[in-house]
Amino acid sequence: MLKAKTRWKLATYDEQLAASIAADCQLTPLVSKLLVIRGIDTSQKARDFLQAGPELFHDPFLLDGMEQSVHRIQQAIQRQEPICIYGDYDADGVSSTSLMVHLLRQLGAVFDYYIPNRFTEGYGLHKDALAHLHQSGYKLIITVDTGISAVEQVAYANQLGLDVIVTDHHEPPAIIPEAFAVINPKKPGCSYPFDMLAGVGVAFKVGHALLKEPPLHLADLAALGTIADLVPLVDENRILARAGLKRLNHTRNLGLQALIRVCGLADTELSAGHVGFALGPRLNASGRLETAESAVKLLTTSDMDEAEKCAQALDDLNRERQEIVAAMTEEAVQMVNELYPPDQNNVLVLAKEGWNVGVVGIVASRLVELFYRPTIVLGIDPEKGTAKGSARSIAGFDMYEGLTACKDWLPHYGGHTMAAGMTLPVENLDLLRQKLNELAGEWLSAEDFTPMTKVDVAMNMEEISLTAAEQLEQLAPYGMGNPTPLVLLEEVETQGMRIIGRDDNHLKCTLSKAGTSLDAIGFNWAHVTKRVTPKARFHVLGELSVNEWNGNRKPQLTIRDLSVGHQQVFDWRGSRDKIEKWQQVMAESNSVTILFREESYEPLAAKATSEQVNSLFVVGREGNITASSNVILYDLPTRRSDLEVVRVLLKQAERIYCLFGDPDLGMERLSCPGRDHFKQLYQFFVQVPTVKKIHIDALARKLQWKRNLLDGMIAIFMELEFLVEEAEQYTLQANTAKRPLESSVLYANWKEEAQLATDLLLSSSDAMIQALHQLVEPTTV
């Protein structure tokens, strides 16, 4: 048995609908099933999803507030009134600000931008900033990716005589700012057909309305923020991501060109993954550690030298950010283990002075990966007496709703179901922690604290083809709302399993079942080779793709998770490196070693750690033994009753390692002498009734037997009272009544021991496993 890393939840779908879409759209069953699972319920929607062209953009004027916003912006441009773009410091905010810069530059506006400093000002609109902008002569403020919660700040701007157009995508609070206009597809009463745009998506729609056509020349920026902000890549987000990635791969934006080069991706076909894990983090780095000024400058410059300098600066900041994150994560993990153990905390709330508030969200994400608990990480400002941080959640726990339930202690918070930010007085931390833990206790079950993987389709091997793998490419780009499809293959075997990679971290093999095979690769899965037997039957989760090598195109599965549902028996009998293999298994937690022979204990205990000594169980000694995942049979049992003692333990084990071998049993004990041997020995004593002990070696040579074999047979004759042992000799008893050989306990034990040796030691691997199955009766082997 080998447990999967996560819980697998197989999606359900309408099979008839999938078949109908497959026929109408000429799709493979796999792709049509995936479309239905993603909520596509008509053939036309399927075509729209796969095509995802700009012609499918919605009318921007369906957004509430768009018409008056466009009129006011056009008015400002005509009057040459200064406009200020008020943005945010994350990748979405930077992309939104940059897109709006290019848009207003194209329209000939008088404008500039302002992004608050994360460390001195924090997120959102600020009265001091608004006062400064008013004094600087601005008449119109356009927020991007922020402003929906700025009720007081907008009211203050109104008093100053500033017109504020709020464009945002975050969850609206109960009270919405009384701005000149508020554009947010989530706003109550807004009839826009898609409410999951990123901040840059809303800015893109403003450009769409102003230009009277989608600003596709800015789609690379729109894709950047959309993908980096982890909004669902469906509907318009999918269109933006698809069009933006296409443009990104041939971008004319000098800053993006420089950023792509500094990431080492100049010769790579860029995907959503490259945006999410390479470009996006570098754009975020500036706002996390300094200000977002360099990121906006990068994306808006028309000077190549400046672009190169900004890109390199962002790359340097990203490396610094990685070092800070690593150090903070280490401190946070220690804090969890010492103060807030996960088995006692449903939600982790961690705060410390000196923690960089620019990266607390990343650290929170790392802790969710490690402990799978909703997590809040905050940096404490001792001068202000406040804690500022970010939250990341797990499936089933709505973080925004949880924070809303704690609003009495949170003067400032905002966010989404899975992520949020907040600022609060330090003295409220314990109250926040306590309340969130109570809510998690109500909202979550024990099962919810095990990570869950959503599986799309269980497939038969014969369903996998190059055509199916090629059609899957039409579903890209992948991301939130449109995850990379995961397929499940059940009860497959592996062939040619080998370790590859510079550091021997990766697994390469061929999966097979019923005569059909599929190449598979598992990155960072090399460790599994030590935990499975050659004949293990796997359940494998993976991503199906096309692998092209030397002009040959074949389907390939990238392994994401796997399990073995049956108990595994490892045939390590007679290993030359027995101790090394034993230490390898015992290094894992939840392992126990069974010793059937007392003489095996001392040599093994001498090589064991103190913890490992406690996991040595000698059959026949007093002591309790607990169920373990790994059970090592170190030496060979001599009695079936010995196995009876550990029967339950072996039945419950996930893996049984058979380490016994020839050294555990003398060759003379591998087979029991037959009646002819005993008859021959008896006849010798009839001829020579008294044999001195000093002549036993000579007798063994005469009979061509091992000395130990002869000693064992003499012991049986003495038990049956055929021989009497005296000080210097053995003597045949005259007139002894006949007794059957089977009445000898020594003979019965020898015979049983020899049979166990035959079944468990001298047999083939399959026969040994079958014999162990019959002796122990595990559930499965």
Side-chain angles (χ1 to χ4, degrees):
M1 186 175 291
L2 180 69
K3 292 182 179 178
K5 291 183 176 180
T6 62
R7 289 180 293 136
W8 300 352
K9 183 177 181 181
L10 188 62
T12 58
Y13 59 91
D14 186 327
E15 294 186 13
Q16 291 185 341
L17 177 60
S20 174
I21 290 176
D24 290 348
C25 301
Q26 297 183 330
L27 299 172
T28 62
L30 171 60
V31 173
S32 64
K33 292 174 185 177
L34 293 172
L35 289 171
V36 172
I37 289 169
R38 281 152 178 71
I40 306 300
D41 56 8
T42 69
S43 295
Q44 186 56 51
K45 289 181 180 178
R47 295 186 187 96
D48 290 345
F49 184 90
L50 295 174
Q51 179 182 353
E55 68 279 1
L56 298 176
F57 276 124
H58 303 303
D59 182 352
F61 288 99
L62 293 176
L63 279 162
D64 187 56
M66 182 65 79
E67 188 169 351
Q68 53 266 48
S69 295
V70 167
H71 176 74
R72 181 65 183 89
I73 294 170
Q74 289 174 336
Q75 184 183 66
I77 293 172
Q78 292 169 359
R79 296 176 177 175
Q80 292 292 284
E81 292 177 355
I83 303 171
C84 182
I85 307 163
Y86 197 112
D88 186 26
Y89 36 66
D90 67 359
D92 186 17
V94 166
S95 301
S96 303
T97 302
S98 301
L99 186 147
M100 194 63 71
V101 166
H102 284 283
L103 180 66
L104 294 182
R105 185 183 291 167
Q106 178 181 347
L107 293 171
V110 176
F111 71 95
D112 204 345
Y113 62 87
Y114 183 91
I115 297 181
N117 185 295
R118 181 193 293 263
F119 303 97
T120 59
E121 297 174 276
Y123 173 81
L125 287 170
H126 299 275
K127 292 181 179 179
D128 289 346
L130 292 170
H132 169 72
L133 294 174
H134 174 257
Q135 291 171 2
S136 299
Y138 290 97
K139 301 294 184 182
L140 175 62
I141 309 293
I142 304 173
T143 76
V144 287
D145 192 35
T146 189
I148 194 63
S149 300
V151 176
E152 294 182 10
Q153 293 83 352
V154 169
Y156 178 70
N158 292 338
Q159 293 175 10
L160 295 175
L162 288 170
D163 287 338
V164 179
I165 296 173
V166 172
T167 77
D168 201 352
H169 72 118
H170 294 97
E171 295 291 338
I175 301 175
I176 294 175
E178 294 185 2
F180 180 88
V182 175
I183 303 175
N184 185 332
K186 292 185 175 72
K187 187 174 70 173
C190 181
S191 61
Y192 198 68
F194 182 63
D195 67 353
M196 291 183 284
L197 289 167
V200 73
V202 178
F204 185 90
K205 298 307 296 186
V206 172
H208 187 173
L210 284 167
L211 298 177
K212 300 181 181 179
E213 63 180 2
L216 294 178
H217 59 295
L218 302 177
D220 43 11
L221 294 173
L224 200 61
T226 296
I227 296 170
D229 207 51
L230 302 179
V231 292
L233 295 187
V234 297
D235 205 285
E236 283 193 308
N237 290 339
R238 176 173 170 80
I239 301 170
L240 284 172
R242 191 177 172 112
L245 285 172
K246 184 177 181 181
R247 184 169 183 85
L248 191 61
N249 278 286
H250 303 90
T251 185
R252 296 180 181 179
N253 185 299
L254 298 182
L256 284 175
Q257 291 176 2
L259 187 62
I260 292 167
R261 283 194 295 272
V262 85
C263 292
L265 299 173
D267 299 321
T268 302
E269 183 73 17
L270 299 177
S271 66
H274 294 116
V275 173
F277 295 102
L279 305 182
R282 285 168 172 80
L283 290 178
N284 272 319
S286 63
R288 293 187 187 280
L289 301 187
E290 296 180 352
T291 71
E293 178 72 24
S294 58
V296 176
K297 190 177 293 184
L298 170 77
L299 298 181
T300 57
T301 186
S302 57
D303 182 273
M304 179 58 75
D305 290 338
E306 183 177 49
E308 294 289 350
K309 290 178 181 178
C310 288
Q312 188 57 57
L314 292 181
D315 191 55
D316 293 341
L317 283 173
N318 191 54
R319 288 195 180 90
E320 182 182 347
R321 186 270 305 171
Q322 291 171 332
E323 294 172 359
I324 294 172
V325 167
M328 284 177 55
T329 301
E330 184 177 350
E331 292 178 359
V333 169
Q334 183 177 355
M335 186 181 295
V336 171
N337 292 331
E338 294 178 357
L339 301 177
Y340 310 107
D343 59 347
Q344 300 174 27
N345 289 268
N346 294 326
V347 179
L348 302 176
V349 179
L350 312 173
K352 185 176 180 181
E353 290 184 20
W355 276 357
N356 188 310
V357 297
V359 299
V360 287
I362 301 175
V363 176
S365 295
R366 298 281 175 86
L367 296 180
V368 171
E369 292 174 6
L370 288 171
F371 300 109
Y372 204 67
R373 296 287 189 276
T375 301
I376 300 177
V377 178
L378 308 102
I380 294 176
D381 185 335
E383 294 183 1
K384 296 180 179 179
T386 59
K388 182 178 180 181
S390 291
R392 298 293 183 270
S393 195
I394 64 175
F397 189 86
D398 188 322
M399 184 59 75
Y400 184 79
E401 185 177 346
L403 294 178
T404 299
C406 304
K407 62 183 178 180
D408 291 343
W409 310 307
L410 293 170
H412 184 71
Y413 74 94
H416 310 287
T417 299
M418 299 299 288
M422 75 293 296
T423 302
L424 69 158
V426 173
E427 58 267 24
N428 290 353
L429 284 171
D430 287 339
L431 294 169
L432 176 66
R433 182 182 296 110
Q434 180 180 345
K435 181 61 177 179
L436 290 177
N437 270 284
E438 290 175 0
L439 291 174
E442 297 172 6
W443 296 351
L444 300 173
S445 65
E447 186 182 59
D448 291 323
F449 292 106
T450 299
M452 182 178 68
T453 299
K454 295 182 179 180
V455 184
D456 289 282
V457 178
M459 298 185 68
N460 296 320
M461 289 286 286
E462 58 268 20
E463 293 180 289
I464 296 176
S465 65
L466 179 60
T467 300
E470 289 174 336
Q471 280 195 1
L472 276 180
E473 296 174 349
Q474 298 180 50
L475 296 176
Y478 299 119
M480 293 292 293
N482 181 38
T484 304
L486 278 177
V487 300
L488 169 62
L489 300 177
E490 299 177 297
E491 295 289 319
V492 297
E493 295 183 349
T494 62
Q495 300 171 354
M497 184 177 284
R498 63 187 189 277
I499 295 174
I500 63 172
R502 179 183 302 174
D503 298 320
D504 292 335
N505 287 337
H506 312 312
L507 169 68
K508 182 77 173 176
C509 64
T510 299
L511 306 177
S512 63
K513 185 177 182 180
T516 305
S517 62
L518 173 68
D519 290 342
I521 187 167
F523 296 105
N524 297 312
W525 277 97
H527 64 279
V528 82
T529 58
K530 298 179 180 179
R531 306 189 68 193
V532 295
T533 61
K535 294 189 177 181
R537 301 182 303 278
F538 292 85
H539 301 303
V540 183
L541 285 187
E543 300 171 4
L544 187 62
S545 61
V546 177
N547 181 38
E548 186 166 355
W549 179 255
N550 288 336
N552 295 319
R553 292 171 59 84
K554 296 173 62 177
Q556 176 178 271
L557 193 77
T558 300
I559 298 170
R560 295 304 178 203
D561 202 357
L562 52 78
S563 68
V564 176
H566 59 87
Q567 186 185 72
Q568 298 184 87
V569 178
F570 290 76
D571 184 2
W572 288 357
R573 296 173 296 174
S575 298
R576 293 181 179 179
D577 52 349
K578 183 172 181 175
I579 292 294
E580 182 180 330
K581 284 184 174 291
W582 173 78
Q583 291 173 331
Q584 171 187 318
V585 178
M586 290 299 292
E588 296 186 25
S589 60
N590 209 12
S591 299
V592 67
T593 300
I594 306 299
L595 301 171
F596 296 100
R597 298 165 186 267
E598 184 70 39
E599 61 269 22
S600 299
Y601 178 80
E602 291 299 337
L604 192 59
K607 296 182 178 295
T609 65
S610 57
E611 184 176 347
Q612 290 171 346
V613 167
N614 294 330
S615 297
L616 300 180
F617 179 79
V618 182
V619 175
R621 287 188 184 181
E622 292 186 2
N624 296 322
I625 186 169
T626 57
S628 299
S629 300
N630 301 322
V631 174
I632 302 171
L633 301 181
Y634 190 79
D635 51 18
L636 194 68
T638 59
R639 303 287 177 269
R640 294 176 188 273
S641 58
D642 292 344
L643 285 168
E644 188 71 35
V645 173
V646 294
R647 180 188 297 269
V648 173
L649 178 72
L650 293 173
K651 287 175 67 173
Q652 294 177 347
E654 297 177 7
R655 290 170 292 279
I656 299 174
Y657 296 87
C658 297
L659 263 175
F660 46 78
D662 294 349
D664 301 320
L665 190 66
M667 291 301 293
E668 73 284 350
R669 307 293 291 182
L670 293 178
S671 61
C672 182
R675 289 182 176 277
D676 290 344
H677 290 79
F678 285 99
K679 182 178 180 181
Q680 185 179 357
L681 181 61
Y682 186 80
Q683 288 175 345
F684 178 84
F685 274 101
V686 169
Q687 296 173 4
V688 184
T690 299
V691 177
K692 293 187 179 296
K693 291 182 178 180
I694 59 174
H695 295 148
I696 294 297
D697 280 335
L699 176 58
R701 289 193 297 271
K702 177 180 176 62
L703 297 173
Q704 297 183 348
W705 295 345
K706 295 272 188 181
R707 170 62 189 266
N708 289 344
L709 179 68
L710 179 56
D711 287 340
M713 294 174 68
I714 289 173
I716 292 171
F717 274 171
M718 287 192 295
E719 180 192 6
L720 296 173
E721 299 180 353
F722 294 156
L723 294 179
V724 173
E725 182 180 11
E726 298 171 337
E728 303 292 337
Q729 61 191 21
Y730 297 104
T731 301
L732 181 68
Q733 285 283 79
N735 301 319
T736 302
K738 289 185 177 180
R739 297 179 64 183
L741 188 60
E742 287 76 11
S743 66
S744 166
V745 174
L746 292 176
Y747 177 73
N749 288 344
W750 194 346
K751 190 174 182 180
E752 182 178 0
E753 186 175 1
Q755 186 60 52
L756 282 171
T758 299
D759 292 342
L760 299 180
L761 183 60
L762 303 179
S763 56
S764 67
S765 183
D766 288 343
M768 182 271 289
I769 294 173
Q770 180 63 27
L772 194 62
H773 169 76
Q774 293 172 349
L775 290 166
V776 181
E777 297 179 2
T779 52
T780 53
V781 184

